[in-house]
Amino acid sequence: MSAPFPAPLDRALAAAGVAVEHIEGARRKAGADGDLGAQLEALAGLPQRSFAELQARSLGLPFCDSIDADSIDPQLLARVSMQQCRRGRMLPLELEPGRLRVATADPFRVGPLDDLRALFGVEVDPVVVPAPVLTDAIHRSFDRAAGVASSLVDDMEGEGSLAARAAELEEAPDLLESEDAAPVIRLVNSVIFQAAKDGASDIHIEPFERSTSIRFRIDGMLTEMLAPPRRIHAALVSRVKVMASMNIAEKRLPQDGGIRTRVAGREIDIRVSTVPTAFGERVVMRLLDRSSTLFGLEELGLSAPNIATLRRLIRQSHGIVLVTGPTGSGKTTTLYAALSEINSPEKNIITIEDPIEYQLRGVGQIQVNPKIDLTFAGGLRSVLRQDPDVIMVGEIRDVETARIAIQAALTGHLVFSTLHTNDSFSAFTRLLDMGIEPFLVSSSVIGILAQRLVRKLCASCAGPADPRDPTLAELGIARDPGAARVAGAGCENCRSSGYRGRLAISELLVTDDVVRAGVMERADAASLRDRAIARGMHPIRADGADKVRAGLTSAAEVLRVTTEDGE
């Protein structure tokens, strides 16, 4: 049986216009220790801020709608755990002589407050805050208290048999809640936590003759974050292997594994790869944030004409839409954005991916598993028997997958996929080189989007570009630089890099009659490019120049990711 609401709160809710049936429903769903505010918001539309104010008024307690997490003393938090605060729905704020100020989202639960009173040996002064504000403050304050990974390196001195100790321990459900004392465990946890906090896509742990290097890939660029002593490298690798369910005894062969964990309440999937090198095993961890939100087409950075054309293509009844570019150019993210745009209950959408990076509601997603012979080609063949309207194939890697995808497009299905080519025109020649007949390629592929990711200038420290800058001339915009800017010296907002975030530059090739004729003639990529540009296609470097004129990125950044021929 769930505990009833206290009478003063019942009366306050009724006075606020909350219907009795909604109060009863929230009571049943929340139970004795559940989130009453969240249930009332869902059932009665009562904002959680208003619910917190009602609780404070009922008990005559102060109310606050914000918490400065940076001002909380880390030594104060050292006496409690993140798990204790989350379960008790409270957070110590300030310790004064004889009194402890505590934020709470549930002041009617006296147990957690009594625990703090006994732990600190002082009286407790509760302050009522909305539950979302409290949750955010708990994560941010323990984030700050955890510190950066580099502060843990000195703790490695004198530790023996770290690999054996790591092998005996399991990872914590949430890295911020870990109470493991072994320094190597705390170091690995802190490295993963710091990478997730900084928005890194990859963690590299690399051994060298005299040192180990830990680097993060942030906004597409590798940055060294830590250089721990070489002697602890084996222990670091062993701990990562234990977490990823890999064989810690096998050091001579490459291995792959995976970790699923939580960092400050966010679900993180980590793909782990190890390879042997001259000085030990090299580890690369790819971080996939399950809680991250999907981008819409407008948020990717695509130009307005390309968005309009792409929207027309993805609403076709059949055909193949390809996204091309090198690894890490955002191809899969663009396909997810396109799928989200056309996703509806009337369509049967199935994807075949390696790995599944985002969960799409209402979409059947299949994970490739070569160990059991579930390949892109095999999965695609099976998917065709599932009556799909739209199919997404993570990547066309071989001729078998290409043939099945083309066959699916020609039999009334819309197919999305990616291809590793340098530009949109080369996609046609790549398919022809695979052995696909020209008439099949020209009649099935309806559009090819080629893209690159460029870093966005930091809004806080970027400065105006010099019109005499040779990079502007190389882009052909020296006479018309618009609002062009250059990267600044760096600041706190951009981690002293001058850039923060990324956006896409792209070119979109639509298969019209002229392009189709060129494919039938087996024309090379350069010839196809000339025909498409003559008909008004905007090449990728020109799109990058437009982004430079708009002050979104720098000319140097566009030149870094494109080639002279306009790719």
Side-chain angles (χ1 to χ4, degrees), residues 19-20 32 36 42 78-79 91 101 111 124 128 151 179-180 186 204 285 357 433 438 447 460 544 546 556:
V20 174
L36 304 178
R79 302 177 66 175
L91 178 67
R101 189 163 166 262
V124 170
V128 184
S151 65
E179 297 179 358
D180 297 329
R186 290 190 286 119
H204 292 237
M285 296 186 280
E357 296 187 18
D433 290 344
S460 302
D546 291 342

Side-chain angles (χ1 to χ4, degrees), residues 238-382:
S238 293
R239 175 56 185 165
V240 172
K241 282 184 169 183
V242 169
M243 296 175 71
S245 302
M246 297 160 73
N247 183 358
I248 64 170
E250 179 56 74
K251 303 177 186 297
R252 301 165 301 169
L253 296 174
Q255 294 188 63
D256 294 308
I259 302 169
R260 173 167 286 191
T261 188
R262 292 172 64 86
V263 177
R266 295 159 52 196
E267 289 191 9
I268 305 289
D269 276 1
I270 305 173
R271 285 187 291 164
V272 181
S273 170
T274 66
V275 295
T277 68
F279 299 109
E281 290 181 280
R282 187 180 190 275
V283 180
V284 175
M285 296 186 280
R286 167 64 58 90
L287 277 64
L288 302 173
D289 188 347
R290 292 285 184 183
S291 62
S292 61
T293 56
L294 284 173
F295 289 102
L297 291 177
E298 288 86 356
E299 299 170 279
L300 298 175
L302 302 179
S303 65
N306 281 353
I307 290 176
T309 305
L310 185 59
R311 281 191 168 132
R312 177 173 59 81
L313 292 175
I314 64 177
R315 284 175 169 79
Q316 299 294 313
S317 60
H318 61 276
I320 297 178
V321 176
L322 294 173
V323 181
T324 73
T327 301
S329 59
K331 299 186 297 296
T332 304
T333 301
T334 299
L335 287 182
Y336 274 120
L339 283 179
S340 299
E341 182 112 350
I342 63 173
N343 187 15
S344 70
E346 293 78 27
K347 290 185 177 179
N348 180 20
I349 303 176
I350 303 178
T351 71
I352 310 162
E353 306 174 58
D354 183 23
I356 297 173
E357 296 187 18
Y358 297 92
Q359 300 291 337
L360 295 174
R361 186 185 179 104
V363 175
Q365 296 176 268
I366 301 170
Q367 170 70 58
V368 167
N369 188 350
K371 293 180 180 178
I372 57 173
D373 202 29
L374 179 53
T375 61
F376 281 119
L380 181 54
R381 193 179 293 108
S382 299

Side-chain angles (χ1 to χ4, degrees), residues 268-562:
I268 305 289
D269 276 1
I270 305 173
R271 285 187 291 164
V272 181
S273 170
T274 66
V275 295
T277 68
F279 299 109
E281 290 181 280
R282 187 180 190 275
V283 180
V284 175
M285 296 186 280
R286 167 64 58 90
L287 277 64
L288 302 173
D289 188 347
R290 292 285 184 183
S291 62
S292 61
T293 56
L294 284 173
F295 289 102
L297 291 177
E298 288 86 356
E299 299 170 279
L300 298 175
L302 302 179
S303 65
N306 281 353
I307 290 176
T309 305
L310 185 59
R311 281 191 168 132
R312 177 173 59 81
L313 292 175
I314 64 177
R315 284 175 169 79
Q316 299 294 313
S317 60
H318 61 276
I320 297 178
V321 176
L322 294 173
V323 181
T324 73
T327 301
S329 59
K331 299 186 297 296
T332 304
T333 301
T334 299
L335 287 182
Y336 274 120
L339 283 179
S340 299
E341 182 112 350
I342 63 173
N343 187 15
S344 70
E346 293 78 27
K347 290 185 177 179
N348 180 20
I349 303 176
I350 303 178
T351 71
I352 310 162
E353 306 174 58
D354 183 23
I356 297 173
E357 296 187 18
Y358 297 92
Q359 300 291 337
L360 295 174
R361 186 185 179 104
V363 175
Q365 296 176 268
I366 301 170
Q367 170 70 58
V368 167
N369 188 350
K371 293 180 180 178
I372 57 173
D373 202 29
L374 179 53
T375 61
F376 281 119
L380 181 54
R381 193 179 293 108
S382 299
V383 161
L384 290 174
R385 296 192 287 269
Q386 292 283 311
D387 186 31
D389 297 299
V390 181
I391 305 168
M392 186 187 95
V393 184
E395 182 184 345
I396 294 179
R397 296 177 178 172
D398 52 55
V399 64
E400 184 181 8
T401 306
R403 288 190 182 281
I404 301 171
I406 288 173
Q407 191 62 39
L410 294 176
T411 53
H413 304 88
L414 182 62
V415 180
F416 296 159
S417 191
T418 69
L419 202 60
H420 284 283
T421 61
N422 288 330
D423 54 36
S424 56
F425 320 100
S426 299
F428 285 118
T429 56
R430 173 68 58 84
L431 291 173
L432 295 177
D433 290 344
M434 284 182 177
I436 308 297
E437 291 79 3
F439 73 91
L440 291 177
V441 175
S442 63
S443 58
S444 59
V445 178
I446 59 175
I448 303 171
L449 178 75
Q451 68 178 51
R452 298 286 187 279
L453 292 180
V454 293
R455 292 179 294 168
K456 295 166 63 176
L457 289 167
C458 174
S460 302
C461 63
D466 185 345
R468 296 167 296 179
D469 188 338
T471 59
L472 296 179
E474 194 169 347
L475 277 184
I477 60 173
R479 294 184 178 180
D480 180 25
R485 298 188 297 166
V486 294
C491 60
E492 289 185 0
N493 292 331
C494 61
R495 297 179 296 273
S496 300
S497 67
Y499 296 92
R500 185 176 183 183
R502 290 189 289 178
L503 57 83
I505 59 173
S506 61
E507 65 185 20
L508 181 53
L509 174 62
V510 177
T511 311
D512 58 15
D513 291 340
V514 173
V515 172
R516 196 171 289 114
V519 174
M520 291 296 293
E521 298 166 6
R522 292 184 176 270
D524 58 21
S527 175
L528 291 174
R529 176 178 181 274
D530 292 340
R531 296 186 190 195
I533 291 177
R535 292 178 64 80
M537 195 201 81
H538 209 47
I540 193 168
R541 180 171 278 199
D543 187 50
D546 291 342
K547 301 293 195 301
V548 173
R549 287 192 189 94
L552 299 175
T553 188
S554 66
E557 191 63 10
V558 172
L559 294 174
R560 180 179 68 84
V561 301
T562 62

